[in-house]
C-alpha cells in the first residue's frame, strides 16, 4: 500500500495513522523524496482502504500488490515526465533523443558531434568518460577531465549531457558537469550506487542488467525512488541469451510491458541492443512503435575510427535518417499531428 502524506502532517496525526497501520499488521517505511512524502506499507491482511484514507494528514491511499511500489503505475495515474532543465524533458509529448559516441575521445570529436546534434534539434548528448570494459586492457575512458571539457562545449551548444557513473565515489565529482546520470547494465543492481543516486537532485537513467528481469529493473528503480529521487527513467538495452548472431537480444516486449507496469519513461538503446550498425535503425523504430519514450543511440563522425563500439555506431547521415523517421513514427503512434522538416541531404 502507498500512502501519500501531507508533507506537513502533525506528529499527533502521524501517531493515529501508525496505530491504524499497526492494528491491521502493516509495516510502514517512510519515503521522503525531493518532491513528496509517502509511507510504503507492507502487510497481508484484508482491510477497508477507507479506514486509512479518511485519516488526517493522508492525501491518498492505493493498494499496490507488485513487489516494486513507488515506480508502479498502480498508484500514479498517467506518465511521469522528467525535467532535465531549460525546457528539456523526457517522457513528454516529444520523443526524447539522446545520441553521441560510445566514448568521449577529445575536443574535435566533441564539437563534431555537438554540431551534428544541434543541426538535428537533439537536446541531449550521450558519451562515456568512465567505460565499463570487459577487458582491463581495453580503453577505459578519458575520465573526469574529459567530462569537464565536454561540459564546457555542450553548454555553448545548449545541449545536455548524459554519462555513465560507475561508482559511488564518482557521483559528486561528476555532479557539476552532467545533466543525467546513467547507470550501466553492469551496475544495474549495484544497490549502493542506486541508493546514493537517490540523494542526488539530477535525473537518473537505469539500464537493464545483462541478465536482469524486468522486475529486477523495476526494483532497481525503486531503490533510487525510495532513496529520494523521483526523476528516473528506465532503459532496455538487450539481454544475454543463447543467440550468438548479434551482440544482445533486444527485448522489444520489454518496452510494451514496462510502459504498462510503470509510470516512469522508457528509453530504448538499439545500439547495444543489437550491436550491428545496419540494423540499429529498424530495431530502434520497432521500439518506437512499441511505445518507448525515447532513444539512446551511438553516433560518430567516422564510426570506423571510433575508440569503442564503432561496429554499432551510426555515422551522421544514418543518424539524421533515424532521427527523422523516429520523430515521424513517434508522432504517428502518439496520434500527434506534427510536421518535422526533412533535411535536404537525406539519402
Ligand atoms: C553505454 O551506454 O555506454 C554502455 C556501456 O552500455 P551498457 O551499460 O548498456 O552496456
Ligand atoms: Mn558503447
Amino acid at each position: 500500500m502507498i500512502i501519500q502524506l501531507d508533507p506537513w502532517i502533525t506528529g499527533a496525526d502521524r501517531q493515529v495513522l501508525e496505530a491504524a497501520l499497526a492494528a491491521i499488521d502493516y509495516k510502514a517505511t517512510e519515503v521522503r523524496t525531493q518532491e513528496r512524502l509517502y509511507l510504503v506499507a507492507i502487510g497481508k491482511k484484508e482491510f477497508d482502504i477507507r479506514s486509512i484514507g479518511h485519516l488526517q494528514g493522508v492525501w491518498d491511499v492505493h493498494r499496490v500488490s507488485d513487489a516494486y511500489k513507488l515506480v508502479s503505475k498502480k498508484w500514479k495515474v498517467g506518465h511521469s515526465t522528467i525535467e532535465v532543465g531549460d525546457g528539456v524533458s523526457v517522457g513528454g509529448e516529444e520523443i526524447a533523443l539522446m545520441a553521441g559516441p560510445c566514448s568521449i575521445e577529445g575536443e574535435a570529436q566533441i564539437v563534431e558531434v555537438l554540431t551534428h546534434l544541434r543541426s538535428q534539434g537533439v537536446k541531449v548528448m550521450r558519451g562515456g568518460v568512465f567505460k565499463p570494459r570487459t577487458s582491463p586492457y581495453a580503453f577505459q575512458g578519458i575520465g573526469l577531465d574529459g567530462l569537464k571539457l565536454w561540459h564546457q562545449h555542450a553548454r555553448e551548444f545548449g545541449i545536455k549531457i548524459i554519462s555513465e557513473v560507475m561508482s559511488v565515489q564518482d557521483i559528486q565529482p561528476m555532479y557539476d558537469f552532467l545533466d543525467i546520470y546513467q547507470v550501466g547494465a553492469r551496475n544495474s543492481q549495484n544497490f549502493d550506487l542506486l541508493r546514493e543516486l537517490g540523494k542526488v537532485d539530477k535525473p537518473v537513467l537505469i539500464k537493464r542488467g545483462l541478465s536482469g528481469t524486468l522486475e529486477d529493473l523495476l526494483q532497481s528503480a525503486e531503490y533510487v525512488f525510495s532513496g529520494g529521487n523521483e526523476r528516473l527513467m528506465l532503459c532496455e538495452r538487450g539481454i544475454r541469451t543463447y543467440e550468438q548472431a548479434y551482440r544482445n537480444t533486444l527485448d522489444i516486449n520489454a518496452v510494451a510491458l514496462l510502459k504498462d507496469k510503470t509510470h516512469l519513461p522508457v528509453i530504448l538503446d538499439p545500439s547495444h541492443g543489437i550491436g550491428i550498425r545496419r540494423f540499429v535503425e529498424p530495431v530502434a523504430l520497432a521500439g518506437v512503435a512499441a511505445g518507448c519514450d525515447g532513444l539512446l543511440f551511438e553516433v560518430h563522425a567516422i564510426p570506423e575510427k571510433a575508440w569503442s563500439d564503432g561496429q554499432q555506431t551510426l555515422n551522421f547521415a544514418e543518424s539524421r535518417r533515424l532521427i527523422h523517421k523516429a520523430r515521424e513514427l513517434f508522432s504517428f503512434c502518439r496520434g500527434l499531428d506534427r510536421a518535422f522538416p526533412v533535411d535536404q541531404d537525406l539519402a
Side-chain angles (χ1 to χ4, degrees):
M1 166 169 50
I2 293 178
I3 308 167
Q4 265 184 282
L5 297 179
D6 176 346
W8 293 280
I9 184 172
T10 65
D13 289 343
R14 190 63 193 260
Q15 276 180 2
V16 172
L17 172 59
E18 273 159 25
L21 290 171
I24 52 169
D25 253 351
Y26 270 60
K27 256 195 146 55
T29 305
E30 179 184 301
V31 172
R32 191 179 281 276
T33 71
Q34 290 150 28
E35 281 130 77
R36 297 179 196 90
L37 178 62
Y38 310 88
L39 280 187
V40 178
I42 314 281
K44 288 203 173 80
K45 265 200 187 142
E46 286 296 316
F47 67 98
D48 182 350
I49 201 159
R50 288 169 299 184
S51 65
I52 303 293
H54 83 272
L55 295 175
Q56 290 282 335
V58 172
W59 277 358
D60 220 343
V61 189
H62 298 268
R63 277 184 219 277
V64 180
S65 50
D66 304 316
Y68 46 91
K69 305 283 179 197
L70 291 159
V71 303
S72 167
K73 215 169 157 184
K74 294 228 172 86
W75 72 276
K76 191 169 177 189
V77 184
H79 297 284
S80 296
T81 300
I82 311 303
E83 301 300 335
V84 184
D86 301 315
V88 178
S89 61
V90 175
E93 292 202 339
E94 264 179 41
I95 186 169
L97 296 170
M98 302 182 249
C102 179
S103 301
I104 297 297
E105 298 168 6
E107 193 160 26
Q109 178 230 30
I110 290 168
V111 173
E112 275 169 358
V113 174
L114 282 168
T115 306
H116 164 69
L117 297 181
R118 188 168 61 185
S119 77
Q120 302 308 305
V122 174
K123 295 176 188 141
V124 184
M125 177 167 161
R126 63 142 287 145
V129 294
F130 298 110
K131 297 302 303 176
R133 304 304 297 278
T134 303
S135 164
Y137 308 115
F139 171 61
Q140 304 287 309
I142 64 174
L144 195 60
D145 287 341
L147 182 62
K148 290 181 181 170
L149 181 71
W150 175 18
H151 178 259
Q152 192 186 317
H153 288 290
R155 283 290 176 269
E156 283 164 20
F157 279 75
I159 288 179
K160 303 288 181 196
I161 287 178
I162 177 169
S163 196
E164 178 165 354
V165 58
M166 280 175 50
S167 75
V168 170
Q169 78 224 33
D170 291 331
I171 295 175
Q172 270 327 110
M174 292 175 88
Y175 180 84
D176 285 330
F177 308 103
L178 53 56
D179 303 287
I180 305 172
Y181 286 97
Q182 176 174 322
V183 176
R186 291 154 195 81
N187 266 317
S188 194
Q189 286 191 307
N190 180 338
F191 301 121
D192 288 341
L193 182 62
L194 296 169
R195 220 182 261 115
E196 280 304 304
L197 287 168
K199 299 178 188 158
V200 172
D201 64 348
K202 290 210 174 180
V204 175
L205 175 144
I206 309 174
K207 287 197 167 192
R208 183 179 185 180
L210 301 181
S211 54
T213 64
L214 296 182
E215 187 157 315
D216 290 338
L217 178 60
L218 289 160
Q219 291 279 43
S220 293
E222 190 80 13
Y223 263 90
V224 181
F225 199 119
S226 64
N229 189 353
E230 299 196 12
R231 289 198 289 161
L232 271 178
M233 52 199 105
L234 305 179
C235 180
E236 163 59 34
R237 49 77 73 202
I239 47 172
R240 280 272 167 89
T241 67
Y242 52 79
E243 186 52 70
Q244 300 289 304
Y246 31 72
R247 184 173 181 179
N248 288 299
T249 297
L250 183 64
D251 183 5
I252 297 292
N253 300 351
V255 173
L257 198 114
L258 286 171
K259 288 298 292 176
D260 186 59
K261 298 284 179 206
T262 178
H263 54 84
L264 300 174
V266 176
I267 305 298
L268 187 84
D269 174 349
S271 309
H272 295 88
I274 189 155
I276 305 169
R277 187 170 151 195
R278 67 200 165 95
F279 300 125
V280 166
E281 179 187 303
V283 297
L285 296 176
V288 175
C292 71
D293 296 285
L295 297 172
L296 177 77
F297 66 93
E298 292 180 336
V299 59
H300 191 284
I302 310 171
E304 297 76 9
K305 294 205 170 148
W307 293 4
S308 57
D309 283 353
Q311 81 290 346
Q312 64 189 31
T313 299
L314 303 184
N315 64 29
F316 291 161
E318 290 163 338
S319 163
R320 267 199 302 271
R321 200 173 63 194
L322 171 57
I323 290 166
H324 174 70
K325 288 190 184 177
R327 282 180 174 147
E328 289 277 314
L329 183 60
F330 185 87
S331 301
F332 175 75
C333 292
R334 302 273 169 129
L336 299 174
D337 186 20
R338 291 228 188 104
F340 293 99
V342 184
D343 245 45
Q344 292 302 312
D345 50 347
L346 265 183

